[in-house]
């Protein structure tokens, strides 16, 4: 196989769509949280603990973070696909990015529910 | 009028260079191509493609003051001097303003730019309603000059894998055609992370198209069709 161009992996639409949907969820979360914080008279330690003591806030924050990580995965994978040509190196980088993002997920849960 | 033109003859030059030309003419109603023909009359070593000289064939696409366009329908009076002319970006230069469009046409052919219909041909033509025919407006007018595709950074980077705006506009031209029966195959052909989805909607293609077509809109409609058949 000498420099044969191979295309046709059937996940183009799925990832493109997921990136858009996660972006919308991220925007909604950001607007709601920013709006809430702007309406608070003072943002101190007590306000933060009160906000994040609610399981609803924790759940939606986790959802927001999961969206961020998935969104980031697609973006970083596209960059790697553009700039790293050897398939083996590319696969290795993809695996490293996935492991990092999975660790972020565990870390996020620890932060949100470990208080 | 002052011109600066990209010159490169791979047989004699080691590197490309910009050559200055000075024409004693008034812009008036002249088109850029008229000036280029005058320049060529004084220096016949200058190479460029041209044919219909009225914006129909798409041969004289070039980079005019940093922007892709057709020399034959670009008014001289609208251009800032010195007028800087370069070959279309992102394609190998054969000589001076002439580029090798092989990669461009390879991508064009990859989307099967012809009607696929396995029904036996009818006695007369395959009919469409006026509404169905109207779907093709803004698509069939493409002259394949290459201005849009060579203005697209996604194509510069992945010319072997990303179809490019011109090819995708044509892909939608056949997806939108009610007489075509290969819709599923056509969508499958583009359903991958490179061929369609390397478009990041920066709309350079819409900006430069000398026929005022909108490849970005066509690309959006292909995505709509894909979503429709998936969800």
């Amino acid at each position: 196989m000498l420099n044969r161009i191979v295309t046709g992996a059937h996940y183009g639409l799925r990832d493109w769509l997921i990136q858009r949907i996660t972006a919308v969820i991220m925007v909604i979360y950001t607007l709601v949280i920013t709006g809430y914080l702007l309406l608070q008279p003072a943002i101190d330690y007590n306000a933060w603990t009160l906000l994040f003591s609610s399981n609803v806030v924790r759940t939606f924050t986790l959802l927001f973070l999961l969206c961020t990580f998935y969104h980031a995965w697609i973006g970083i994978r596209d960059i790697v696909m553009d700039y790293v040509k050897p398939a083996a190196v590319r696969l290795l980088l993809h695996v490293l990015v996935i492991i990092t993002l999975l660790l972020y997920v565990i870390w996020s849960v620890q932060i949100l529910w470990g208080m | 009028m002052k011109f600066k033109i990209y010159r490169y003859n791979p047989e004699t030059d080691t590197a490309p260079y910009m050559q200055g030309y000075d024409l004693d003419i008034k812009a008036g109603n002249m088109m850029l191509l008229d000036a280029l023909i005058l320049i060529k009359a004084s220096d016949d070593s200058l190479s460029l493609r041209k044919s219909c000289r009225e914006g129909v064939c798409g041969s004289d696409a070039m980079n005019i003051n940093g922007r892709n366009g057709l020399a034959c329908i670009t008014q001289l009076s609208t251009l800032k001097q010195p007028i800087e002319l370069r070959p279309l970006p992102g394609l190998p230069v054969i000589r001076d303003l002439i580029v090798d469009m092989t990669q461009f046409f390879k991508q064009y052919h990859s989307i099967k730019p012809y009607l696929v219909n396995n029904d036996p041909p009818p006695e007369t033509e395959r009919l469409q309603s006026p509404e169905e025919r109207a779907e093709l407006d803004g698509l069939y007018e493409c002259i394949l000059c290459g201005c849009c595709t060579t203005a697209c950074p996604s194509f510069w980077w992945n010319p072997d894998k990303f179809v490019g705006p011109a090819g995708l506009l044509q892909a939608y031209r056949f997806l939108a055609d009610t007489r075509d029966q290969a819709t599923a195959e056509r969508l499958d052909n583009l359903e991958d992370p490179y061929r369609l989805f390397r478009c990041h909607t920066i709309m350079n293609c819409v900006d430069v198209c000398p026929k005022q077509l909108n490849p970005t809109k066509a690309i959006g409609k292909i995505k709509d069709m894909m979503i429709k058949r998936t969800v």
Side-chain angles (χ1 to χ4, degrees), chain B residues 78-107:
Chain B
T78 63
L79 298 172
K80 227 179 84 187
Q81 291 188 53
I83 299 165
E84 210 172 288
L85 300 176
R86 293 171 184 272
L88 288 176
L91 291 176
V93 174
I94 294 174
R95 184 175 160 156
D96 298 341
L97 299 174
I98 299 178
V99 290
D100 178 0
M101 299 191 63
T102 309
Q103 193 65 63
F104 173 82
F105 282 109
K106 250 189 191 166
Q107 291 295 359

Side-chain angles (χ1 to χ4, degrees), chain B residues 55-226:
Chain B
V56 175
C57 72
S59 304
D60 63 351
M62 57 185 70
N63 190 274
I64 307 158
N65 279 348
R67 199 185 140 89
N68 291 352
L70 300 178
C72 55
I73 53 171
T74 302
Q75 294 259 1
L76 265 186
S77 55
T78 63
L79 298 172
K80 227 179 84 187
Q81 291 188 53
I83 299 165
E84 210 172 288
L85 300 176
R86 293 171 184 272
L88 288 176
L91 291 176
V93 174
I94 294 174
R95 184 175 160 156
D96 298 341
L97 299 174
I98 299 178
V99 290
D100 178 0
M101 299 191 63
T102 309
Q103 193 65 63
F104 173 82
F105 282 109
K106 250 189 191 166
Q107 291 295 359
Y108 172 63
H109 290 304
S110 79
I111 58 101
K112 297 201 167 72
Y114 43 82
L115 201 72
V116 177
N117 188 319
N118 295 318
D119 292 342
E123 288 280 320
T124 56
E125 67 269 42
R126 298 184 199 275
L127 286 175
Q128 282 192 301
S129 72
E131 293 77 32
E132 289 169 345
R133 167 60 187 77
E135 286 290 303
L136 307 181
D137 287 339
L139 303 170
Y140 78 92
E141 298 94 330
C142 173
I143 57 172
L144 297 172
C145 61
C147 283
C148 60
T149 295
T150 58
C152 175
S154 291
F155 183 78
W156 295 339
W157 200 249
N158 286 307
D160 49 352
K161 296 188 188 120
F162 175 56
V163 174
L168 290 170
L169 184 91
Q170 286 310 301
Y172 184 63
R173 182 247 170 274
F174 290 98
L175 282 165
D177 196 316
T178 48
R179 297 162 296 182
D180 191 86
Q181 295 176 332
T183 312
E185 291 87 337
R186 291 183 188 282
L187 291 177
D188 282 344
N189 178 257
L190 298 172
E191 165 62 304
D192 112 308
Y194 284 107
R195 290 180 52 74
L196 169 73
F197 288 99
R198 269 299 184 269
C199 166
H200 296 302
T201 335
I202 64 163
M203 300 175 81
N204 274 13
C205 50
V206 185
D207 184 45
V208 299
C209 178
K211 307 297 277 186
Q212 281 81 46
L213 305 179
N214 192 333
T216 306
K217 197 170 153 196
I219 291 169
K221 286 190 169 171
I222 298 176
K223 287 173 180 166
D224 281 354
M225 287 180 93
M226 282 186 176

Side-chain angles (χ1 to χ4, degrees), chain A residues 73 77 80-81 89-98:
Chain A
W73 155 243
R77 192 207 57 210
V80 172
M81 283 170 104
V89 185
R90 198 186 276 182
L91 181 63
L92 179 73
L93 284 172
H94 284 182
V95 172
L96 287 177
V97 172
I98 291 173

Side-chain angles (χ1 to χ4, degrees), chain B residues 53 165-166 202 228:
Chain B
R53 54 101 188 95
I202 64 163
K228 227 181 235 172

Side-chain angles (χ1 to χ4, degrees), chain A residues 6-7 30 32 40 43 50 55 67 72 84 87 100-101 111-113:
Chain A
V6 279
T7 53
T30 310
V32 170
Q40 294 302 304
I43 309 166
L50 185 71
N55 263 329
C67 286
V84 183
T100 311
L101 291 173
I111 291 172
L112 285 167
W113 273 274

